[in-house]
Amino acid sequence: MIQLIRGFKDILPEESALWQHIENTARALFEDFGFREIRPPVLEKTELFKRSIGEDTDIVEKEMYTFPDRKGDLLTLRPEATASVVRSYIQHKMYAADPIRKMYTIGPMFRRERPQKGRYRQFYQINAEVFGEASPYIDAQLIFMLVSLFEKLSVTDSNVHINSLGCPECRPDFRKALSELLESRKKQLCEDCIRRSERNPLRVLDCKVPSCREAVSDAPSIIDYLCPACAAHFDTVQEMLVKQNVRFEVDKRLVRGLDYYTRTTFEIQTGALGAQSAVAGGGRYDGLVEALGGPSQPAIGFAIGLDRLVEIVTLNQESLAKHPMVFIAALGDEGIRNAWLWSNDLCMAGIRTEVDFSGRSLKSLMKRADKVNASYVMIVGESELKEGSVVLRDMKTKEQHTFSMDNLVENLKTFLYQ
Ligand code: ATP
Ligand code: MG
């Protein structure tokens, strides 16, 4: 038997109602905030990710699914969506008509990491990106929108962490101070962090190895190094979040693994998923559009890990389950033919209807109606056909109603819509 690839998974029909509910809630909310959907492809030139995510990141160093296609072009299954959205913004000159663009996208991402709970090799993200707005109000609004989505989904165990990464003007000073500290603590660092401390020291702050965490526990805070403009930006973000009653904590260790982030950075963390604590992450990436060959345009965005979000949504799954409203228990050829026609009409009228065409006994049909959890069973037996009527039984109250076959669908609609 051929099985699926390690780290990949099926989202089964029993689970998909919850996924759809989350996706639909996100779509509706984001569109109310002025976002429109963009659907970039899942395959891009490898170069795009190397340039945007950065060569020194875990993603580019060891997580990408990269392969040459038949002509030898190096292609990569996207490990994240931002790079593609930025490429699209530039390629279609979206900035020309209106530099301010708000876009969201939902879809699969691919990273070859060690699979574990909440960590897969194909996983799903909901992304939102805003281009052309440098104002801190947008940062705060995006965080508010993200938090509101979690609230709408009744997520209880989540915390907002925010930080500022400064800008190319002030970050070098911090980087230097951090490098000096790392140099003196080299012995405590893991192999990856020794390499990082030379090439991308900020990323050491993000390392999950306990000895590395210990080594940087008293690291300087980047907040103390922000230039006046970055400090004012960060202050406004916090002020607006407070005004909007969004609870958050400033987390000096919060850095993004991706190179292109500037200023505001944020993450939603949960205690419910063990080591996989990040459910969503994002931040400002003012330098990326230009770095990828576009005009200088500020941008900010976030990515929600949908697989992890699904795990912590506390909604009652039963309330999302889609049971048939009507199950038609039809007996005999004529009964089945009638049922077939009626069921099509009922389905088209938005009344979820199922028929069993097997010609089984009434007893086994009733069992099946129970199994599929139908609200009503419509019995179409020989005596019903003779009398020109059908019986509709309410499976909860056991009440029975008789309907004439004339105008049946119309009358059922009126009855069931009530
Ligand atoms: P982590 O620190 O857990 O590896 P990350 O920093 O690599 O996360 P991002 O690149 O910021 O993650 O992606 C945004 C979100 O996507 C994460 O917060 C997480 O919820 C989700 N995510 C990332 N990698 C995976 C994965 N392999 N499987 C499932 N979800 C993931
Ligand atoms: Mg990761």
Side-chain angles (χ1 to χ4, degrees):
M1 210 259 305
I2 299 173
Q3 303 225 345
L4 49 62
I5 313 168
R6 192 167 123 82
F8 287 62
K9 66 172 178 186
D10 296 313
I11 296 159
L12 298 172
E14 297 83 281
E15 304 163 313
S16 61
L18 182 56
W19 286 71
Q20 287 175 357
H21 173 72
I22 294 174
E23 289 166 9
N24 294 342
T25 308
R27 280 173 196 284
L29 179 71
F30 294 1
E31 298 204 357
D32 286 345
F33 275 85
F35 288 72
R36 284 190 295 163
E37 187 175 11
I38 176 169
R39 300 191 189 196
V42 297
L43 202 58
E44 297 267 7
K45 291 183 182 161
T46 303
E47 196 54 29
L48 174 67
F49 302 114
K50 280 200 176 164
R51 274 176 52 191
S52 62
I53 298 171
E55 304 249 13
D56 298 339
T57 55
D58 283 348
I59 294 180
V60 173
E61 272 173 359
K62 48 189 187 198
E63 295 174 359
M64 295 203 305
Y65 279 97
T66 296
F67 58 92
D69 79 351
R70 285 169 189 275
K71 286 243 172 85
D73 294 329
L74 262 198
L75 305 179
T76 295
L77 279 168
R78 64 177 182 193
E80 54 109 55
T82 304
S84 301
V85 179
V86 174
R87 178 203 43 71
S88 184
Y89 179 76
I90 299 168
Q91 180 170 348
H92 301 287
K93 296 196 171 53
M94 290 188 208
Y95 49 85
D98 180 3
I100 299 177
R101 297 282 178 142
K102 299 182 182 181
M103 295 183 266
Y104 72 94
T105 191
I106 303 177
M109 308 296 154
F110 305 84
R111 296 184 195 176
R112 201 176 186 293
E113 321 190 53
R114 196 167 72 76
Q116 49 197 296
K117 190 177 166 62
R119 197 175 288 286
Y120 308 96
R121 291 179 169 179
Q122 173 174 334
F123 61 100
Y124 294 79
Q125 284 186 344
I126 304 179
N127 278 78
E129 320 282 347
V130 180
F131 292 89
E133 278 272 22
S135 151
Y137 295 102
I138 278 291
D139 306 29
Q141 193 180 40
L142 209 59
I143 295 169
F144 172 62
M145 185 174 87
L146 178 58
V147 168
S148 303
L149 176 63
F150 278 54
E151 261 169 29
K152 277 181 184 284
L153 294 170
S154 321
V155 173
T156 42
D157 186 356
S158 70
N159 301 295
V160 180
H161 291 233
I162 65 171
N163 195 13
S164 173
L165 297 181
C167 65
E169 231 169 79
C170 52
R171 197 168 10 182
D173 289 342
F174 171 68
R175 217 177 133 122
K176 194 159 159 259
L178 183 61
S179 288
E180 279 162 15
L181 176 91
L182 295 177
E183 186 56 40
S184 69
R185 305 261 163 95
K186 224 173 190 165
K187 284 206 191 87
Q188 282 166 262
L189 301 178
C190 71
E191 234 169 75
D192 279 342
C193 281
I194 291 177
R195 200 165 27 85
R196 285 172 188 146
S197 57
E198 275 156 27
R199 292 163 63 171
N200 193 349
L202 259 68
R203 289 193 47 232
V204 177
L205 296 174
D206 200 23
C207 182
K208 282 158 191 137
V209 176
S211 59
C212 297
R213 295 190 77 88
E214 177 64 23
V216 295
S217 60
D218 60 347
S221 168
I222 190 160
I223 307 293
D224 298 330
Y225 288 79
L226 297 180
C227 62
C230 285
H233 186 102
F234 195 45
D235 282 347
T236 305
V237 172
Q238 294 183 64
E239 184 194 336
M240 297 323 289
L241 289 176
V242 169
K243 278 212 162 72
Q244 188 60 60
N245 296 320
V246 174
R247 292 190 25 214
F248 64 89
E249 70 186 76
V250 175
D251 179 351
K252 67 171 187 172
R253 305 176 60 113
L254 185 66
V255 292
R256 310 294 311 150
L258 315 184
D259 269 356
Y260 49 66
Y261 285 99
T262 52
R263 290 195 167 166
T264 315
T265 180
F266 52 95
E267 197 162 271
I268 297 200
Q269 299 180 359
T270 179
L273 291 174
Q276 274 55 258
S277 58
V279 191
R284 200 161 257 294
Y285 50 95
D286 287 344
L288 185 62
V289 179
E290 198 173 8
L292 287 181
S296 166
Q297 284 291 349
I300 179 167
F302 64 69
I304 304 170
L306 198 40
D307 308 69
R308 294 184 192 173
L309 183 53
V310 164
E311 296 275 342
I312 59 167
V313 166
T314 54
L315 284 182
N316 175 3
Q317 294 241 21
E318 186 51 31
S319 67
L320 300 172
K322 292 184 172 133
H323 306 299
M325 180 86 151
V326 178
F327 180 89
I328 310 185
L331 300 162
D333 271 354
E334 198 191 338
I336 290 179
R337 282 203 173 81
N338 280 307
W340 188 85
L341 288 166
W342 291 328
S343 72
N344 287 342
D345 284 349
L346 288 169
C347 292
M348 291 304 289
I351 294 167
R352 199 170 297 129
T353 303
E354 241 185 70
V355 195
D356 186 308
F357 299 115
S358 66
R360 284 188 274 181
S361 69
L362 184 61
K363 194 170 161 213
S364 51
L365 290 177
M366 293 308 282
K367 263 198 194 148
R368 171 138 182 94
D370 251 343
K371 190 168 178 193
V372 300
N373 214 345
S375 309
Y376 295 89
V377 175
M378 191 165 108
I379 301 163
V380 190
E382 248 169 61
S383 56
E384 280 82 8
L385 288 170
K386 232 180 258 158
E387 281 159 27
S389 63
V390 301
V391 172
L392 188 75
R393 180 200 286 216
D394 185 324
M395 294 297 273
K396 234 194 233 128
T397 64
K398 308 293 176 208
E399 249 179 288
Q400 310 224 95
H401 307 264
T402 305
F403 286 85
S404 162
M405 287 185 190
D406 300 326
N407 253 336
L408 176 63
V409 171
E410 281 313 308
N411 291 333
L412 281 175
K413 278 193 330 202
T414 316
F415 177 82
L416 294 171
Y417 279 158
Q418 279 169 3

